């Protein structure tokens, strides 16, 4: 089943899309333009904010995390497993880095020392797919021993450990990003969280949607798409 955006899949808790950002120019700081993902005062004093960059993927903008100190935090919480997180990103550099995480020092999606994608919550489930600088979809389904990480259509199944309950979502690093060397250097395009283990068919739909949504240079989003994103995936 084709989807018009990630909220068409059941149990979508949150959805963020860099194409829905308005009012920023190239290299402006992104502080609160991705719905509830904001720069927060609970970060360390050296915590940085990411930057809005134009014409990154097929004429579309993206949010740049510099891999040094950039991180945003969401006030939304997700409970214990099963939880699914889907990111559409263009990675730049760095091994053993965290693209996102939680308030419990849990690395949720990131890269391994062997330069592979991984999902991690006490136990690392490493993908067979290598990290590169092309645009890639990275989907982690956190469900204990029945976890899955899918990268650009390739599934790796196994144990990713047990997600602790009630997590505040971080983008750019895990926890508040204060762990030395944890920050990832990447362009964020789009992402969503689900409070369920999404199906293989759901992952197929997300990958097809991401590809189509980010393909056409200079494309525009519909008013409904923009406002649903602004509301964090809620229906109008």
């Amino acid at each position: 089943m084709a989807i018009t955006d990630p909220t068409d899949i059941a149990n979508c808790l949150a959805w963020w899309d860099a194409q829905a950002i308005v009012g920023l120019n190239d290299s402006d700081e992104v502080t609160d333009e991705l719905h509830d993902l904001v720069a927060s005062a609970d970060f360390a004093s050296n915590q940085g904010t990411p930057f809005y960059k134009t014409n990154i993927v097929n004429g579309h903008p993206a949010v740049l995390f510099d891999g040094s100190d950039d991180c945003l935090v969401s006030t939304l919480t997700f409970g214990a497993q099963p939880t699914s997180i889907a990111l559409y990103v263009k990675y730049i550099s760095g091994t053993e880095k965290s693209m996102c995480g939680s308030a419990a020092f849990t690395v949720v999606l990131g890269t391994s020392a062997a330069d592979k994608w991984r999902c991690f919550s006490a136990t690392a489930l490493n993908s067979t797919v290598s990290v590169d600088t092309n645009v890639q979809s990275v989907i982690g389904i956190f469900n204990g021993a029945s976890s899955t990480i899918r990268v650009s259509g390739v599934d790796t199944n196994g144990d990713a450990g047990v997600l602790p309950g009630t997590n505040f979502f971080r983008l750019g690093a895990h926890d508040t990003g204060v762990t030395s060397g944890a920050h990832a250097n990447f362009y964020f395009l789009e992402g969503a969280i689900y409070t369920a283990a999404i199906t293989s068919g759901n992952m197929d739909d997300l990958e097809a949607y991401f590809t189509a949504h980010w393909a056409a240079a200079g494309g525009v989003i519909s008013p409904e798409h923009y406002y649903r994103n602004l509301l964090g995936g809620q229906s109008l």
Side-chain angles (χ1 to χ4, degrees):
M1 179 189 73
I3 60 174
T4 57
D5 64 54
T7 66
D8 287 340
I9 296 172
N11 301 298
C12 184
L13 175 67
W15 165 46
W16 304 282
D17 181 359
Q19 288 190 49
I21 294 175
V22 295
L24 294 185
N25 298 311
D26 187 63
S27 297
D28 283 351
E29 290 186 342
V30 176
T31 56
D32 61 0
E33 288 79 14
L34 282 173
H35 182 48
D36 69 319
L37 278 170
V38 298
S40 174
D42 71 350
F43 289 159
S45 60
N46 65 343
Q47 189 64 48
T49 54
F51 296 92
Y52 181 77
K53 300 298 292 183
T54 58
N55 195 26
I56 299 301
V57 176
N58 294 323
H60 298 303
V63 178
L64 172 62
F65 290 82
D66 67 5
S68 174
D69 59 3
D70 292 352
C71 189
L72 296 175
V73 61
S74 170
T75 58
L76 291 177
T77 61
F78 54 96
Q81 60 197 36
T83 295
S84 303
I85 299 175
L87 299 180
Y88 200 53
V89 299
K90 182 176 172 62
Y91 206 76
I92 299 174
S93 65
T95 57
E96 289 193 285
K97 303 298 182 181
S98 306
M99 288 194 301
C100 64
S102 76
F105 291 94
T106 302
V107 180
V108 178
L109 286 174
T111 62
S112 71
D115 210 23
K116 305 287 188 182
W117 291 107
R118 70 173 179 174
C119 57
F120 180 92
S121 182
T123 301
L125 176 58
N126 294 317
S127 171
T128 59
V129 179
S130 297
V131 178
D132 62 39
T133 57
N134 295 312
V135 176
Q136 293 178 293
S137 61
V138 183
I139 303 172
I141 300 176
F142 296 86
N143 198 18
S146 300
S147 298
T148 297
I149 181 169
R150 175 184 286 198
V151 181
S152 299
V154 179
D155 290 353
T156 304
N157 303 310
D159 189 358
V162 178
L163 268 182
T166 311
N167 291 270
F168 291 93
F169 185 74
R170 270 77 168 151
L171 184 64
H174 63 273
D175 193 59
T176 50
V178 298
T179 303
S180 176
H183 299 76
N185 184 201
F186 67 106
Y187 289 107
F188 172 80
L189 308 179
E190 194 162 357
I193 300 178
Y194 300 88
T195 56
I198 62 175
T199 68
S200 178
N202 293 152
M203 291 191 285
D204 291 343
D205 290 339
L206 280 169
E207 289 177 325
Y209 160 78
F210 287 146
T211 299
H213 185 51
W214 291 89
V220 297
I221 63 174
S222 69
E224 179 183 8
H225 183 107
Y226 167 74
Y227 284 109
R228 287 177 71 178
N229 181 274
L230 191 65
L231 294 169
Q234 302 176 40
S235 297
L236 294 177

